[in-house]
């Protein structure tokens, strides 16, 4: 598998459906994966932020990945979340992902005890990359980790043979473009902030990793294919209203509300500390989903 080629497109950070007992709903999860593949998604990313990985036990994270690999069955690449706060635990998740058949892993900088200097994140990523049993994507999400991965750190770590790209969810287009300029041409730059997907693609991004591609994968797939045309701009405008709901209610709750609205999953349940979208918010999300599908 040529990941530099196969991850150029739209990767979906898969939501983790829960049942009424707040346990992982296996059937809903596999139905969601079928919905994504049939909708044209190019890769799937279980155990990410939208998948509420931080609210899952290690056994549940393993179960999510097992279900993903089995259901996807090689149709598209599986990029496994391996977020953790230590080198050792991160490597455990990477090794588990390799054992279960994932194609790559996503690593975040340590959170809670965040780096006290950019060199700290560089040391962390290089220590993981030196021992990693899978190719790695860096994940810049400063809102959740307490700080960004400095562009200089991305550039330094990009030289490592096991580090193949960056998912940037900072929402800072200037940062994204600076990372693009600072890294080799074959280093994957994936836009994780849905509202910036089209401008990033037009500036040379390789693709996106976008929460709302769970709900409307066909729209994201078409946007990627038509990014240089007016059609792409129309789709980005339609997605903007749906993305606004994520900013208001959170990515996992808003995504699950949209998925329930489309009858892809039976419940929009989320785990603490998240709460579900209130009724007035659900109406806005339903209208926004309809707007995307009719665009």
């Amino acid at each position: 598998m040529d990941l530099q080629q196969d991850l150029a497109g739209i990767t979906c950070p898969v939501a983790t459906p829960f049942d009424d007992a707040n346990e992982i709903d296996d059937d809903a999860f596999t139905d969601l994966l079928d919905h994504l593949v049939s909708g044209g998604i190019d890769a799937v990313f279980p155990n990410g932020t939208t998948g509420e990985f931080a609210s899952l036990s290690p056994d549940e994270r393993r179960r999510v990945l097992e279900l993903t690999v089995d259901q996807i069955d090689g149709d598209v690449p599986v990029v496994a979340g391996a977020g953790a706060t230590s080198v050792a635990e991160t490597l455990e998740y990477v090794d588990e992902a390799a054992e279960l058949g994932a194609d790559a892993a996503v690593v975040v900088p340590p959170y809670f005890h965040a780096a006290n200097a950019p060199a700290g994140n560089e040391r962390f990523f290089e220590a993981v990359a030196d021992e990693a049993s899978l190719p790695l994507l860096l994940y810049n999400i400063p809102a959740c980790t307490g700080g960004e991965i400095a562009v200089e750190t991305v550039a330094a770590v990009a030289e490592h043979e096991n580090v193949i790209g960056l998912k940037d969810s900072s929402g800072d287009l200037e940062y994204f473009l600076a990372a693009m300029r600072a890294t080799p041409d074959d280093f994957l730059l994936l836009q994780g902030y849905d509202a910036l997907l089209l401008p990033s693609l037009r500036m040379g991004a390789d693709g996106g990793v976008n929460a709302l591609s769970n709900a409307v994968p066909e729209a994201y797939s078409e946007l990627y294919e038509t990014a240089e045309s007016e059609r792409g701009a129309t789709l980005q405008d339609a997605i903007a209203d749906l993305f606004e709901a994520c900013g208001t209610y959170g990515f996992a709750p808003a995504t699950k509300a949209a998925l329930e609205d489309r009858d892809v999953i039976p419940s929009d349940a989320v785990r603490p500390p998240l709460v579900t979208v209130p009724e007035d918010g659900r109406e806005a999300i339903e209208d926004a989903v309809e707007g995307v599908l009719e665009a």
Side-chain angles (χ1 to χ4, degrees), residues 81-282:
T85 56
S86 70
V87 171
E89 187 179 10
T90 302
L91 286 170
E92 287 177 4
Y93 283 122
V94 174
D95 288 345
E96 180 176 78
E99 170 201 338
L100 294 177
D103 301 293
V106 182
V107 294
V108 298
Y111 41 93
F112 193 82
H113 288 300
N116 59 337
N121 282 333
E122 184 175 339
R123 288 183 62 209
F124 177 85
F125 288 129
E126 288 184 344
V128 173
D130 284 345
E131 302 295 330
S133 49
L134 285 175
L136 303 177
L137 284 169
L138 309 180
Y139 184 2
N140 184 49
I141 183 165
C144 294
T145 60
E148 71 178 18
I149 307 171
V151 170
E152 294 79 7
T153 300
V154 176
V157 180
E159 299 296 327
H160 199 292
E161 62 181 0
N162 281 342
V163 180
I164 62 171
L166 169 74
K167 175 194 175 184
D168 174 38
S169 294
S170 67
D172 183 346
L173 185 58
E174 184 176 347
Y175 171 94
F176 188 82
L177 297 177
M180 189 180 298
R181 292 191 297 270
T183 52
D185 289 344
D186 63 352
F187 188 75
L188 287 163
L189 271 299
L190 304 174
Q191 179 55 257
Y193 198 79
D194 299 38
L196 295 178
L197 178 58
L198 183 68
S200 298
L201 291 172
R202 288 184 172 180
M203 292 297 290
D206 296 292
V209 185
N210 307 110
L212 290 167
S213 64
N214 278 276
V216 284
E218 60 271 56
Y220 278 82
S221 178
E222 186 180 2
L223 190 158
Y224 176 76
E225 296 295 338
T226 62
E228 298 299 328
S229 71
E230 188 60 32
R231 176 61 179 161
T234 298
L235 288 166
Q236 180 73 75
D237 286 344
I239 287 168
D241 289 338
L242 190 52
F243 182 73
E244 185 176 343
C246 283
T248 303
Y249 301 110
F251 284 96
T255 296
K256 285 184 169 179
L259 283 166
E260 187 181 27
D261 176 59
R262 292 201 71 185
D263 294 322
V264 178
I265 63 176
S267 171
D268 66 344
V270 291
R271 283 188 174 171
L274 300 178
V275 297
T276 56
V277 176
E279 193 58 39
D280 59 341
R282 290 182 62 87

